Amino acid sequence: MTADSSIRPAVAPAGPATLITVAPTGAELEKPDVPALPVTLDELVTTATECRRDGASIIHVHIRDGHARPTLDIGRLTETVSALREATDLIVQLSTGGAVTDSFETRLAVLDASPDGCSLTCGTVNFGDNVFMNPWPFMCELYVRTQDLGVVPEFELFDLGHVAALHRLLDKFGAPFGGHVHCDLVMGVPGGMAGNAETLVQAVAALPAGATWSATGVGRTSLPVMFAALAAGGHLRVGLEDTITFARGRPVASNAELVDRAATLAGLAQRPAMNPAQARAMLGVPDRV
Ligand code: KMH
Ligand code: ZN
């Protein structure tokens, strides 16, 4: 057979590249229960470097104190942002959700650490036996602060009602810093929306026009949500914050293996992992000066 530029490859690219976010730590797990959890700055930087190598473009960051307990200490957060920037070109997204026990005041102050981005949850949700509080006035104050300080928010949606609250927020205050709306569907939290393909399709259909989105399935919903997200044109978030079991009876050995699996599946879907520069362009996150 002769080469012919009009012959198309048998497997055409299925869509845009895949943004992979790693959420390595969270605020709920304890180090003795999950030894692979990065809780020191050194462990976090090593994790970030490995995850960047394996296909992540964003790191969603919760930090711990000297006793490995969750903290929003502004000095530690600032040091963490600069250490991650020194070691990698990942987009550094700080959690403003913190732990369910954190005050609104300390959650708002997270932005003073000058991250590239932050999470912004669009409503209160039952969270296992606890309640993750995000009342409307708090959401508004946090959103306006992201606009004033030039931090790109990622809208965390744990429930379909959060999608409605996102529309309300954008209607009232306009576009986010960076000009682009990117959401993360956090699925399968006990108390939030279910982690399955039917729910994902409903949530995606309700998103603002032009928004991009990632999805993460908590616990055993991790794989169904990942496959559904890839099929529906979405992006992926993985990490120990959301999943501690790699396969039945087999704990996750490292965040990097979750990123590696996500990148492999994205590649099989003909939507390979994007790099941080591509992610910045898609999300409207400015280059670092
Ligand atoms: N730790 C949860 C209570 C976020 O990072 O913005 C909230 C959370 C969401 O993880
Ligand atoms: Zn988080």
Side-chain angles (χ1 to χ4, degrees), residues 60 62 95 241:
H60 168 82
H62 292 252
S95 167
E241 173 166 345

Side-chain angles (χ1 to χ4, degrees), residues 25-280:
T25 309
E28 283 70 41
L29 297 169
E30 301 204 8
K31 181 79 167 173
D33 299 333
V34 186
L37 202 66
V39 295
T40 67
L41 186 53
D42 279 355
E43 287 172 348
L44 188 62
V45 168
T46 301
T47 296
T49 307
E50 292 169 356
C51 292
R52 166 67 178 99
R53 177 198 65 204
D54 291 347
S57 298
I58 301 183
I59 184 163
H60 168 82
V61 178
H62 292 252
I63 61 165
R64 300 297 175 98
D65 67 14
H67 302 283
R69 291 183 297 236
T71 179
L72 294 180
D73 177 81
I74 193 66
R76 278 185 183 263
L77 283 171
T78 306
E79 189 188 4
T80 301
V81 170
S82 84
L84 290 170
R85 284 187 174 151
E86 183 99 349
T88 75
D89 60 353
L90 290 167
I91 296 171
V92 179
Q93 178 193 89
L94 291 183
S95 167
T96 64
V100 290
T101 46
D102 286 319
S103 69
F104 295 134
E105 195 188 352
T106 51
R107 290 169 58 191
L108 289 167
V110 162
L111 300 195
D112 295 336
S114 302
D116 296 305
C118 71
S119 55
L120 192 162
T121 298
C122 291
T124 294
V125 63
N126 282 311
F127 194 80
D129 295 343
N130 297 299
V131 180
F132 177 31
M133 295 290 289
N134 296 282
W136 174 248
F138 171 71
M139 282 175 57
C140 293
E141 195 173 346
L142 178 55
Y143 187 55
V144 170
R145 258 177 89 70
T146 63
Q147 291 173 317
D148 291 347
L149 296 175
V151 176
V152 174
E154 176 180 283
F155 301 100
E156 308 294 326
L157 308 171
F158 288 69
D159 213 341
L160 292 180
H162 292 189
V163 184
L166 169 60
H167 281 278
R168 190 178 172 209
L169 196 69
L170 298 174
D171 287 347
K172 189 166 166 74
F173 297 106
F177 178 77
H180 178 73
V181 175
H182 181 72
C183 308
D184 182 41
L185 305 174
V186 186
M187 310 185 74
V189 168
M193 64 182 148
N196 57 42
E198 307 89 275
T199 309
L200 182 140
V201 167
Q202 283 179 39
V204 170
L207 294 178
T212 51
W213 56 278
S214 303
T216 188
V218 170
R220 68 187 58 184
T221 71
S222 174
L223 283 170
V225 166
M226 184 149 34
F227 282 110
L230 283 172
H235 302 277
L236 305 176
R237 175 175 122 170
V238 295
L240 281 164
E241 173 166 345
D242 304 322
T243 318
I244 58 171
T245 303
F246 193 81
R248 191 167 303 170
R250 208 286 249 162
V252 172
S254 69
N255 280 286
E257 76 169 356
L258 292 172
V259 171
D260 181 60
R261 178 168 70 177
T264 299
L265 294 179
L268 287 171
Q270 299 290 294
R271 294 188 44 214
M274 66 175 69
N275 63 38
Q278 292 171 300
R280 282 176 186 273

